[in-house]
Amino acid sequence: MIIRSARFIKSSTKLKDCPEADRAEYAFTGRSNVGKSSLINMLVNRKKLAKTSSTPGKTQTINHFIINENWYLTDLPGYGYAKVSKSSRKHWEGFTGEYITKRDNLISLFVLIDSRHEPLKPDYEFMNFLGLKGIPFARVFTKSDKISSNSLSQVMAAHDRHMLEKWESLPPTFISSAITGKGREEILKYIEDTITFFEKRP
Ligand code: GTP
Ligand code: MG
């Protein structure tokens, strides 16, 4: 997949406010601060397209970007940040949950996991939920520049073991770094291989 253009469309807080679901869409989700917005910028080669921050909770809305004037890439708010209150957690579950389960044109979600973290409950609860709902997803281990390849192999093996306790097989899995660009080709290839184009409704 060659990225020729990337343009911000809009921020939404409800499914019904999102752009029309008439094009293939890929969405990025994961814990606050895991690097969703940075990964999007790295993929499309634009430093400041999606807003990033070292303070967790930066992305609070569903943000749609159109790529090659052809398909959507979506930045979702993060979940599971320890300092977030129960009520804002419920809010996330409500509006992001609605988006994830009802957005018909969503081809795949990317669930981002910090490469330095052992398996964490919110991530696997979330992936189990996706499994129950039959929503396709891939895992991305982010910030791989912050860890040695040996340690990363160990972390990933722990994640795979954890996942295989409940799952029969593992989802597509990528390793990324927004600093070095690692994973860019592989993730764009996955998008190219899975994308389906929608006939625009008359
Ligand atoms: P929220 O929108 O708050 O949920 O966060 P997010 O998941 O969009 O994370 P964001 O992309 O804003 O990145 C959070 C912090 O991690 C920022 O300080 C980034 O610079 C840093 N970061 C993101 N990706 C990488 C990476 O691959 N390597 C390194 N070293 N830092 C990264
Ligand atoms: Mg963000």
Side-chain angles (χ1 to χ4, degrees), residues 42-67:
M42 182 273 265
L43 290 175
V44 303
N45 222 348
R46 289 269 301 276
K47 279 201 170 67
K48 290 186 177 158
L49 188 67
K51 292 197 181 88
T52 64
S53 165
S54 53
T55 316
K58 173 76 184 168
T59 310
Q60 296 278 0
T61 51
I62 300 173
N63 297 306
H64 278 84
F65 302 92
I66 191 161
I67 310 302

Side-chain angles (χ1 to χ4, degrees), residues 68-100:
N68 297 345
E69 297 297 325
N70 206 336
W71 53 277
Y72 290 127
L73 202 156
T74 309
D75 192 6
L76 297 175
Y79 59 80
Y81 181 58
K83 284 193 179 143
V84 159
S85 67
K86 237 188 183 153
S87 67
S88 73
R89 190 172 152 189
K90 279 266 166 292
H91 179 69
W92 186 90
E93 285 168 0
F95 98 107
T96 317
E98 185 193 27
Y99 165 84
I100 288 168

